[in-house]
Amino acid sequence: MDNEHNEKLFESKKPDNKENGKLFADSRKSRPKEKPDTSAPSSGSWKVLLVDDEEDIHSVTRMALKGFTYKGKDIEFLHAYSGDETKQLLSKHKDIALIFLDVVMETNHAGLDLVKYIRDVMKNRFTQIVLRTGYPGQAPEREVIATYEINDYKTKTELTTFKLFTVTLASLRSYDSIMGLEHLRRNLELIVRERTAELESKNVKIMEMDQMKTRFFSNVSHEFRTPLTLIISPLEDLMVDRDLEANKKDQLEMMHRNALRLLGLVNQLLDLSKIDAGSMKLNITYYDLNKVLRLIARSFMTLAERRKVQYNLQIPDDVMNCYFDRDKVEKILLNLLSNAFKYTPEKGEITCSATYKTEKKAGSAQYLEMLVKDTGPGIPSEQLDKIFDRFYQVDDGWKKETSGTGIGLSLTRELTTLQHGEIRVESSPQKGSCFMVTLPVGKEHLQEHEYVITESEESGGQSMIIKCSLSDNRPDDVANTYEINGTGDRPVVLIVDDNQDIRNHIRESLNKDFNLTEACNGKEGIEKAVNIIPDLIVTDLMMPDTDGLELCKKLKTDERTSHVPIIMLTAKAEVDDKIEGLETGADDYITKPFNKKELIIRIKNLIEQRNKLREKYANQISLEPHQHAVKSVDEKFLEHARTIIEANIGDCNFDVNNFCAEMGMSRMQLFRKLKALLNQTPNELIRNLRLQRAVYLMRQNFGNVAEITFEVGFNNLSYFAKCFKEKYGLLPSEYQKQIG
Ligand code: ADP
């Protein structure tokens, strides 16, 4: 485009206007006969609206921008001659890119009013507006631009063809990039809206499912309680029978203890689901709070004596009648004390104290401060803030008889909060833990909808929740394990389980048929297995510290124990998760609860299988190495043994002691291993291999019997002959004759 030419085109109009000092003034009000069509929007053009009451300006601008294109699109002009016309066009065309706007039209500020209308009323921030005025400096540029949100300000004389070009180009470029961003923004907004809606609907579904789960939980827990109560009560009746045999009584006690434990857990789950559903209220009663605390705390005295724990009770003797939620206070103290007893080892110290403070706290005049302090293992500081989280259990490798559920403390905190109380803990590893609970007493601090008042009941003896809580701690010594040795030739079975009741149960099931030995955790299980080389191991899968899988892996890769069959006990839920691990390690698994007879049959089957394998190995062991490349740990062990004997075959001083030393095993380990694999003692194996070599040498015509005798490490001819006859049914000389 020839800009100079166009500039002249503009300038040619100037003389007319110079006369009255106004640019383009003369052409004002001269309306065109026909307005250009402004209605049809064309998507392939930039819409530029020319607003001016002088037709000349319209035609000059159109002419000047003739042939203009940007990004391959030309201009579609729209024309308006007044404010009203402009408004109509604006409402019809939402995609106007640029407006050249006259200031003075029907009023002196008509153009500026339109800017306000576009920006403030229509909220249109995208259309570019270039203001044109006849008077240079009619309004100070910056001020106008700032006040009216226009994009450029030009006097009419300034808008020569060249300038119109650049102004149009710059404005369309701005419009284009603003619209690009706007488009992006709208798309993003749309995506965000869609995602938010998606998340909201998912959230609603999750909440519904959660409520369903809570309801289900609560229903199921309820359903559990009835049958459990129907188990516990008749058991209690049976247990009082004085004529009961001791082992029957033990069994009943074990059933009772475990039924109570289950009931305790079910009750805890029920409480949690009530709290989740927001349906747990305070059930307050007017009663002697100290009496309740003393009852709970004293119920642990027998346990303390048995555990030789120094148990300090500091609960006031006087009567403290007030309103409080008895059930919740009991549960809080029971949880804390039962944890203290669960985690404090023998000869430790536990203190339980209660004091009353009268400072105003949580709207109540008086509050109770309970403290349970122990000298147990403590809790690592980085885990202190997590122990009140639901299902959280401290992972410190500390051996526990009862591994727990991680519910107790979270429930304790919920119950405390429900009563407007607080719970805190201070603990340092190896020194012990101190749990502190503060609870406002009375009902002044409670709003009416938070509680119901119930009649107080005198309670005689231990309530069910106390019994449930105490059932967590077995009466026996925590790590009490038994050895049962019947006759010497019965197979030895090692039982590894962290739960003593389960050990007892297995022991009672097996003691008629097997010699038994026990370990109360995986680590001890491994040590015992290596030391005694049992004929079979029954181990639990889930154990704190070293679990059944690890035990299996260790023993199966240790050549001293690799042959020992292992039966894994698993809860049904664990079977699927662990089946892969079991395939690589254990020889069999049994799901809990298991049937006594089934366990015995499985043990006998495995021992029988071992016997068959033993025959196979015994026939196979010879001085020729095995051909197959992949060897089990047991085959490698046998080959190792064979190589050692072969290397020493001519040495008549090579005996069991040298053999053990070279194998890196104790006499007992080597004896039990070879007995298990080959049913041969180490001595027998050495002798058999020597005799095998003798036969080989005879076939090779190595020499006479005496030479061969010494060559295979016998230093006594008649002993060699005796052994040879025992094994092959012929004397060496007869044998030689037969093959010769
Ligand atoms: P659970 O005892 O069933 O595992 P809790 O919620 O009662 O669950 O306790 C959570 C964890 O806090 C426990 O796993 C235990 O490691 C730790 N803990 C609680 N009380 C004590 C305590 N007195 N001494 C040491 N550790 C404790």
mmCIF file of all heavy atoms in Angstrom, residues 262-299:
data_model
loop_
_atom_site.group_PDB
_atom_site.id
_atom_site.type_symbol
_atom_site.label_atom_id
_atom_site.label_comp_id
_atom_site.label_asym_id
_atom_site.label_seq_id
_atom_site.Cartn_x
_atom_site.Cartn_y
_atom_site.Cartn_z
ATOM 1 N N LEU A 262 -12.733 -60.023 72.235
ATOM 2 C CA LEU A 262 -13.501 -59.739 71.028
ATOM 3 C C LEU A 262 -14.613 -58.740 71.339
ATOM 4 O O LEU A 262 -14.831 -57.782 70.594
ATOM 5 C CB LEU A 262 -14.088 -61.055 70.514
ATOM 6 C CG LEU A 262 -14.481 -61.116 69.061
ATOM 7 C CD1 LEU A 262 -13.316 -60.706 68.185
ATOM 8 C CD2 LEU A 262 -14.911 -62.527 68.702
ATOM 9 N N LEU A 263 -15.273 -58.958 72.462
ATOM 10 C CA LEU A 263 -16.351 -58.048 72.843
ATOM 11 C C LEU A 263 -15.806 -56.636 73.050
ATOM 12 O O LEU A 263 -16.414 -55.650 72.642
ATOM 13 C CB LEU A 263 -17.036 -58.561 74.116
ATOM 14 C CG LEU A 263 -18.250 -57.763 74.571
ATOM 15 C CD1 LEU A 263 -19.341 -57.798 73.515
ATOM 16 C CD2 LEU A 263 -18.801 -58.297 75.892
ATOM 17 N N GLY A 264 -14.623 -56.560 73.678
ATOM 18 C CA GLY A 264 -13.995 -55.248 73.898
ATOM 19 C C GLY A 264 -13.736 -54.556 72.568
ATOM 20 O O GLY A 264 -14.033 -53.370 72.395
ATOM 21 N N LEU A 265 -13.210 -55.297 71.600
ATOM 22 C CA LEU A 265 -12.911 -54.713 70.294
ATOM 23 C C LEU A 265 -14.187 -54.279 69.582
ATOM 24 O O LEU A 265 -14.259 -53.192 69.008
ATOM 25 C CB LEU A 265 -12.162 -55.731 69.418
ATOM 26 C CG LEU A 265 -10.724 -56.009 69.825
ATOM 27 C CD1 LEU A 265 -10.148 -57.144 68.995
ATOM 28 C CD2 LEU A 265 -9.873 -54.764 69.648
ATOM 29 N N VAL A 266 -15.194 -55.140 69.656
ATOM 30 C CA VAL A 266 -16.473 -54.810 69.011
ATOM 31 C C VAL A 266 -17.051 -53.542 69.647
ATOM 32 O O VAL A 266 -17.532 -52.643 68.954
ATOM 33 C CB VAL A 266 -17.443 -56.005 69.136
ATOM 34 C CG1 VAL A 266 -18.850 -55.599 68.766
ATOM 35 C CG2 VAL A 266 -16.986 -57.140 68.256
ATOM 36 N N ASN A 267 -16.961 -53.451 70.961
ATOM 37 C CA ASN A 267 -17.467 -52.253 71.639
ATOM 38 C C ASN A 267 -16.732 -51.005 71.188
ATOM 39 O O ASN A 267 -17.329 -49.954 70.984
ATOM 40 C CB ASN A 267 -17.322 -52.399 73.159
ATOM 41 C CG ASN A 267 -18.388 -53.319 73.716
ATOM 42 O OD1 ASN A 267 -19.392 -53.570 73.059
ATOM 43 N ND2 ASN A 267 -18.160 -53.846 74.909
ATOM 44 N N GLN A 268 -15.415 -51.140 71.025
ATOM 45 C CA GLN A 268 -14.637 -49.987 70.567
ATOM 46 C C GLN A 268 -15.067 -49.574 69.166
ATOM 47 O O GLN A 268 -15.234 -48.390 68.880
ATOM 48 C CB GLN A 268 -13.150 -50.336 70.552
ATOM 49 C CG GLN A 268 -12.541 -50.351 71.941
ATOM 50 C CD GLN A 268 -11.024 -50.351 71.891
ATOM 51 O OE1 GLN A 268 -10.429 -50.822 70.939
ATOM 52 N NE2 GLN A 268 -10.404 -49.812 72.924
ATOM 53 N N LEU A 269 -15.262 -50.553 68.309
ATOM 54 C CA LEU A 269 -15.690 -50.236 66.938
ATOM 55 C C LEU A 269 -17.056 -49.563 66.947
ATOM 56 O O LEU A 269 -17.306 -48.624 66.203
ATOM 57 C CB LEU A 269 -15.758 -51.517 66.098
ATOM 58 C CG LEU A 269 -14.411 -52.110 65.702
ATOM 59 C CD1 LEU A 269 -14.606 -53.393 64.932
ATOM 60 C CD2 LEU A 269 -13.625 -51.121 64.848
ATOM 61 N N LEU A 270 -17.910 -50.052 67.812
ATOM 62 C CA LEU A 270 -19.250 -49.485 67.914
ATOM 63 C C LEU A 270 -19.169 -48.026 68.373
ATOM 64 O O LEU A 270 -19.852 -47.149 67.842
ATOM 65 C CB LEU A 270 -20.060 -50.326 68.896
ATOM 66 C CG LEU A 270 -21.565 -50.189 68.795
ATOM 67 C CD1 LEU A 270 -22.042 -50.630 67.423
ATOM 68 C CD2 LEU A 270 -22.249 -51.035 69.844
ATOM 69 N N ASP A 271 -18.317 -47.779 69.360
ATOM 70 C CA ASP A 271 -18.140 -46.405 69.840
ATOM 71 C C ASP A 271 -17.636 -45.508 68.722
ATOM 72 O O ASP A 271 -18.112 -44.388 68.539
ATOM 73 C CB ASP A 271 -17.134 -46.377 71.006
ATOM 74 C CG ASP A 271 -17.794 -46.814 72.300
ATOM 75 O OD1 ASP A 271 -19.031 -46.904 72.326
ATOM 76 O OD2 ASP A 271 -17.060 -47.082 73.284
ATOM 77 N N LEU A 272 -16.653 -46.024 67.969
ATOM 78 C CA LEU A 272 -16.106 -45.213 66.868
ATOM 79 C C LEU A 272 -17.182 -44.884 65.856
ATOM 80 O O LEU A 272 -17.288 -43.748 65.395
ATOM 81 C CB LEU A 272 -14.987 -45.984 66.154
ATOM 82 C CG LEU A 272 -13.610 -45.948 66.783
ATOM 83 C CD1 LEU A 272 -12.621 -46.624 65.855
ATOM 84 C CD2 LEU A 272 -13.145 -44.521 67.049
ATOM 85 N N SER A 273 -18.017 -45.875 65.515
ATOM 86 C CA SER A 273 -19.017 -45.589 64.493
ATOM 87 C C SER A 273 -20.073 -44.630 65.037
ATOM 88 O O SER A 273 -20.599 -43.817 64.296
ATOM 89 C CB SER A 273 -19.622 -46.867 63.917
ATOM 90 O OG SER A 273 -20.276 -47.571 64.907
ATOM 91 N N LYS A 274 -20.344 -44.703 66.330
ATOM 92 C CA LYS A 274 -21.292 -43.741 66.913
ATOM 93 C C LYS A 274 -20.718 -42.338 66.833
ATOM 94 O O LYS A 274 -21.408 -41.375 66.522
ATOM 95 C CB LYS A 274 -21.544 -44.095 68.385
ATOM 96 C CG LYS A 274 -22.680 -45.056 68.579
ATOM 97 C CD LYS A 274 -23.021 -45.095 70.058
ATOM 98 C CE LYS A 274 -23.738 -46.375 70.404
ATOM 99 N NZ LYS A 274 -23.550 -46.761 71.790
ATOM 100 N N ILE A 275 -19.431 -42.224 67.129
ATOM 101 C CA ILE A 275 -18.785 -40.909 67.076
ATOM 102 C C ILE A 275 -18.802 -40.390 65.640
ATOM 103 O O ILE A 275 -19.143 -39.241 65.372
ATOM 104 C CB ILE A 275 -17.345 -40.993 67.621
ATOM 105 C CG1 ILE A 275 -17.394 -41.157 69.138
ATOM 106 C CG2 ILE A 275 -16.542 -39.748 67.267
ATOM 107 C CD1 ILE A 275 -16.068 -41.463 69.778
ATOM 108 N N ASP A 276 -18.483 -41.269 64.679
ATOM 109 C CA ASP A 276 -18.470 -40.859 63.271
ATOM 110 C C ASP A 276 -19.845 -40.395 62.812
ATOM 111 O O ASP A 276 -19.965 -39.468 62.024
ATOM 112 C CB ASP A 276 -18.017 -42.020 62.386
ATOM 113 C CG ASP A 276 -16.522 -42.246 62.520
ATOM 114 O OD1 ASP A 276 -15.870 -41.376 63.127
ATOM 115 O OD2 ASP A 276 -16.032 -43.284 62.048
ATOM 116 N N ALA A 277 -20.860 -41.075 63.298
ATOM 117 C CA ALA A 277 -22.210 -40.713 62.873
ATOM 118 C C ALA A 277 -22.714 -39.491 63.648
ATOM 119 O O ALA A 277 -23.802 -38.982 63.390
ATOM 120 C CB ALA A 277 -23.140 -41.891 63.082
ATOM 121 N N GLY A 278 -21.919 -39.019 64.588
ATOM 122 C CA GLY A 278 -22.298 -37.842 65.388
ATOM 123 C C GLY A 278 -23.431 -38.156 66.350
ATOM 124 O O GLY A 278 -24.146 -37.270 66.801
ATOM 125 N N SER A 279 -23.643 -39.456 66.631
ATOM 126 C CA SER A 279 -24.800 -39.785 67.466
ATOM 127 C C SER A 279 -24.408 -40.124 68.901
ATOM 128 O O SER A 279 -25.201 -40.661 69.651
ATOM 129 C CB SER A 279 -25.554 -40.967 66.842
ATOM 130 O OG SER A 279 -24.710 -42.086 66.789
ATOM 131 N N MET A 280 -23.143 -39.823 69.262
ATOM 132 C CA MET A 280 -22.762 -40.137 70.636
ATOM 133 C C MET A 280 -23.009 -38.930 71.540
ATOM 134 O O MET A 280 -22.477 -37.856 71.295
ATOM 135 C CB MET A 280 -21.306 -40.562 70.707
ATOM 136 C CG MET A 280 -20.986 -41.125 72.072
ATOM 137 S SD MET A 280 -19.306 -41.668 72.215
ATOM 138 C CE MET A 280 -19.466 -43.403 71.960
ATOM 139 N N LYS A 281 -23.858 -39.131 72.512
ATOM 140 C CA LYS A 281 -24.171 -38.040 73.435
ATOM 141 C C LYS A 281 -23.516 -38.294 74.773
ATOM 142 O O LYS A 281 -23.046 -39.394 75.039
ATOM 143 C CB LYS A 281 -25.689 -38.015 73.666
ATOM 144 C CG LYS A 281 -26.429 -37.145 72.696
ATOM 145 C CD LYS A 281 -27.816 -36.884 73.218
ATOM 146 C CE LYS A 281 -28.420 -35.724 72.458
ATOM 147 N NZ LYS A 281 -29.559 -35.160 73.113
ATOM 148 N N LEU A 282 -23.522 -37.294 75.616
ATOM 149 C CA LEU A 282 -23.035 -37.527 76.977
ATOM 150 C C LEU A 282 -24.200 -38.032 77.821
ATOM 151 O O LEU A 282 -25.290 -37.455 77.802
ATOM 152 C CB LEU A 282 -22.491 -36.230 77.567
ATOM 153 C CG LEU A 282 -21.225 -35.686 76.904
ATOM 154 C CD1 LEU A 282 -20.806 -34.383 77.549
ATOM 155 C CD2 LEU A 282 -20.106 -36.703 76.985
ATOM 156 N N ASN A 283 -23.940 -39.118 78.515
ATOM 157 C CA ASN A 283 -24.957 -39.742 79.356
ATOM 158 C C ASN A 283 -24.565 -39.491 80.797
ATOM 159 O O ASN A 283 -23.908 -40.321 81.414
ATOM 160 C CB ASN A 283 -24.882 -41.249 79.088
ATOM 161 C CG ASN A 283 -26.204 -41.757 78.644
ATOM 162 O OD1 ASN A 283 -27.221 -41.406 79.256
ATOM 163 N ND2 ASN A 283 -26.178 -42.560 77.596
ATOM 164 N N ILE A 284 -24.926 -38.361 81.346
ATOM 165 C CA ILE A 284 -24.330 -38.044 82.647
ATOM 166 C C ILE A 284 -25.190 -38.546 83.805
ATOM 167 O O ILE A 284 -26.400 -38.703 83.695
ATOM 168 C CB ILE A 284 -24.035 -36.534 82.800
ATOM 169 C CG1 ILE A 284 -25.298 -35.724 82.617
ATOM 170 C CG2 ILE A 284 -22.976 -36.081 81.829
ATOM 171 C CD1 ILE A 284 -25.096 -34.269 82.956
ATOM 172 N N THR A 285 -24.474 -38.786 84.874
ATOM 173 C CA THR A 285 -25.154 -39.326 86.044
ATOM 174 C C THR A 285 -24.549 -38.659 87.285
ATOM 175 O O THR A 285 -23.399 -38.233 87.255
ATOM 176 C CB THR A 285 -24.960 -40.862 86.043
ATOM 177 O OG1 THR A 285 -25.486 -41.377 87.203
ATOM 178 C CG2 THR A 285 -23.522 -41.248 86.003
ATOM 179 N N TYR A 286 -25.321 -38.546 88.348
ATOM 180 C CA TYR A 286 -24.805 -37.916 89.562
ATOM 181 C C TYR A 286 -24.278 -39.022 90.464
ATOM 182 O O TYR A 286 -25.035 -39.854 90.965
ATOM 183 C CB TYR A 286 -25.924 -37.129 90.244
ATOM 184 C CG TYR A 286 -25.409 -36.225 91.343
ATOM 185 C CD1 TYR A 286 -24.745 -35.038 91.027
ATOM 186 C CD2 TYR A 286 -25.605 -36.550 92.682
ATOM 187 C CE1 TYR A 286 -24.272 -34.207 92.022
ATOM 188 C CE2 TYR A 286 -25.132 -35.723 93.685
ATOM 189 C CZ TYR A 286 -24.463 -34.557 93.355
ATOM 190 O OH TYR A 286 -23.985 -33.752 94.329
ATOM 191 N N TYR A 287 -22.985 -39.054 90.648
ATOM 192 C CA TYR A 287 -22.392 -40.208 91.335
ATOM 193 C C TYR A 287 -21.041 -39.801 91.908
ATOM 194 O O TYR A 287 -20.525 -38.712 91.622
ATOM 195 C CB TYR A 287 -22.211 -41.352 90.316
ATOM 196 C CG TYR A 287 -22.027 -42.712 90.937
ATOM 197 C CD1 TYR A 287 -23.049 -43.319 91.652
ATOM 198 C CD2 TYR A 287 -20.817 -43.397 90.789
ATOM 199 C CE1 TYR A 287 -22.864 -44.578 92.205
ATOM 200 C CE2 TYR A 287 -20.631 -44.651 91.347
ATOM 201 C CZ TYR A 287 -21.666 -45.235 92.060
ATOM 202 O OH TYR A 287 -21.485 -46.468 92.607
ATOM 203 N N ASP A 288 -20.449 -40.722 92.692
ATOM 204 C CA ASP A 288 -19.141 -40.438 93.296
ATOM 205 C C ASP A 288 -18.032 -40.756 92.278
ATOM 206 O O ASP A 288 -17.731 -41.924 92.017
ATOM 207 C CB ASP A 288 -18.996 -41.299 94.562
ATOM 208 C CG ASP A 288 -17.654 -41.069 95.255
ATOM 209 O OD1 ASP A 288 -16.853 -40.260 94.723
ATOM 210 O OD2 ASP A 288 -17.421 -41.701 96.309
ATOM 211 N N LEU A 289 -17.465 -39.703 91.702
ATOM 212 C CA LEU A 289 -16.456 -39.882 90.655
ATOM 213 C C LEU A 289 -15.220 -40.630 91.172
ATOM 214 O O LEU A 289 -14.682 -41.509 90.499
ATOM 215 C CB LEU A 289 -16.064 -38.500 90.082
ATOM 216 C CG LEU A 289 -15.017 -38.436 88.988
ATOM 217 C CD1 LEU A 289 -15.323 -39.369 87.836
ATOM 218 C CD2 LEU A 289 -14.913 -37.008 88.435
ATOM 219 N N ASN A 290 -14.817 -40.290 92.409
ATOM 220 C CA ASN A 290 -13.627 -40.957 92.966
ATOM 221 C C ASN A 290 -13.826 -42.462 93.102
ATOM 222 O O ASN A 290 -12.909 -43.249 92.880
ATOM 223 C CB ASN A 290 -13.291 -40.387 94.347
ATOM 224 C CG ASN A 290 -12.628 -39.026 94.211
ATOM 225 O OD1 ASN A 290 -12.108 -38.706 93.137
ATOM 226 N ND2 ASN A 290 -12.656 -38.233 95.273
ATOM 227 N N LYS A 291 -15.062 -42.854 93.437
ATOM 228 C CA LYS A 291 -15.350 -44.271 93.628
ATOM 229 C C LYS A 291 -15.166 -45.013 92.298
ATOM 230 O O LYS A 291 -14.580 -46.105 92.251
ATOM 231 C CB LYS A 291 -16.795 -44.419 94.117
ATOM 232 C CG LYS A 291 -17.152 -45.791 94.570
ATOM 233 C CD LYS A 291 -18.512 -45.764 95.231
ATOM 234 C CE LYS A 291 -18.960 -47.174 95.548
ATOM 235 N NZ LYS A 291 -20.298 -47.185 96.110
ATOM 236 N N VAL A 292 -15.646 -44.377 91.224
ATOM 237 C CA VAL A 292 -15.517 -44.995 89.901
ATOM 238 C C VAL A 292 -14.036 -45.121 89.524
ATOM 239 O O VAL A 292 -13.582 -46.167 89.054
ATOM 240 C CB VAL A 292 -16.282 -44.155 88.846
ATOM 241 C CG1 VAL A 292 -15.964 -44.641 87.441
ATOM 242 C CG2 VAL A 292 -17.772 -44.228 89.112
ATOM 243 N N LEU A 293 -13.285 -44.047 89.752
ATOM 244 C CA LEU A 293 -11.865 -44.074 89.387
ATOM 245 C C LEU A 293 -11.126 -45.145 90.186
ATOM 246 O O LEU A 293 -10.300 -45.886 89.652
ATOM 247 C CB LEU A 293 -11.208 -42.706 89.637
ATOM 248 C CG LEU A 293 -11.766 -41.531 88.824
ATOM 249 C CD1 LEU A 293 -11.046 -40.234 89.190
ATOM 250 C CD2 LEU A 293 -11.625 -41.790 87.329
ATOM 251 N N ARG A 294 -11.464 -45.235 91.491
ATOM 252 C CA ARG A 294 -10.787 -46.230 92.336
ATOM 253 C C ARG A 294 -11.093 -47.644 91.857
ATOM 254 O O ARG A 294 -10.219 -48.498 91.769
ATOM 255 C CB ARG A 294 -11.234 -46.072 93.800
ATOM 256 C CG ARG A 294 -10.461 -45.005 94.557
ATOM 257 C CD ARG A 294 -10.664 -45.151 96.061
ATOM 258 N NE ARG A 294 -12.067 -45.121 96.426
ATOM 259 C CZ ARG A 294 -12.752 -44.014 96.734
ATOM 260 N NH1 ARG A 294 -12.133 -42.838 96.736
ATOM 261 N NH2 ARG A 294 -14.029 -44.058 97.032
ATOM 262 N N LEU A 295 -12.362 -47.864 91.494
ATOM 263 C CA LEU A 295 -12.774 -49.197 91.042
ATOM 264 C C LEU A 295 -11.978 -49.611 89.797
ATOM 265 O O LEU A 295 -11.464 -50.738 89.712
ATOM 266 C CB LEU A 295 -14.270 -49.186 90.719
ATOM 267 C CG LEU A 295 -14.863 -50.538 90.387
ATOM 268 C CD1 LEU A 295 -15.067 -51.347 91.658
ATOM 269 C CD2 LEU A 295 -16.188 -50.376 89.658
ATOM 270 N N ILE A 296 -11.880 -48.678 88.862
ATOM 271 C CA ILE A 296 -11.149 -48.993 87.621
ATOM 272 C C ILE A 296 -9.675 -49.256 87.947
ATOM 273 O O ILE A 296 -9.103 -50.267 87.554
ATOM 274 C CB ILE A 296 -11.229 -47.811 86.616
ATOM 275 C CG1 ILE A 296 -12.666 -47.518 86.246
ATOM 276 C CG2 ILE A 296 -10.360 -48.070 85.389
ATOM 277 C CD1 ILE A 296 -13.287 -48.452 85.281
ATOM 278 N N ALA A 297 -9.085 -48.323 88.671
ATOM 279 C CA ALA A 297 -7.647 -48.413 88.921
ATOM 280 C C ALA A 297 -7.310 -49.665 89.719
ATOM 281 O O ALA A 297 -6.321 -50.351 89.428
ATOM 282 C CB ALA A 297 -7.175 -47.166 89.650
ATOM 283 N N ARG A 298 -8.163 -49.997 90.705
ATOM 284 C CA ARG A 298 -7.851 -51.167 91.550
ATOM 285 C C ARG A 298 -8.004 -52.482 90.794
ATOM 286 O O ARG A 298 -7.438 -53.496 91.187
ATOM 287 C CB ARG A 298 -8.760 -51.182 92.782
ATOM 288 C CG ARG A 298 -8.285 -50.164 93.801
ATOM 289 C CD ARG A 298 -9.127 -50.200 95.036
ATOM 290 N NE ARG A 298 -8.720 -49.124 95.942
ATOM 291 C CZ ARG A 298 -9.483 -48.659 96.897
ATOM 292 N NH1 ARG A 298 -10.695 -49.172 97.086
ATOM 293 N NH2 ARG A 298 -9.046 -47.697 97.679
ATOM 294 N N SER A 299 -8.798 -52.467 89.730
ATOM 295 C CA SER A 299 -8.989 -53.727 89.007
ATOM 296 C C SER A 299 -7.694 -54.201 88.340
ATOM 297 O O SER A 299 -7.615 -55.327 87.867
ATOM 298 C CB SER A 299 -10.123 -53.610 87.994
ATOM 299 O OG SER A 299 -9.839 -52.604 87.077
#
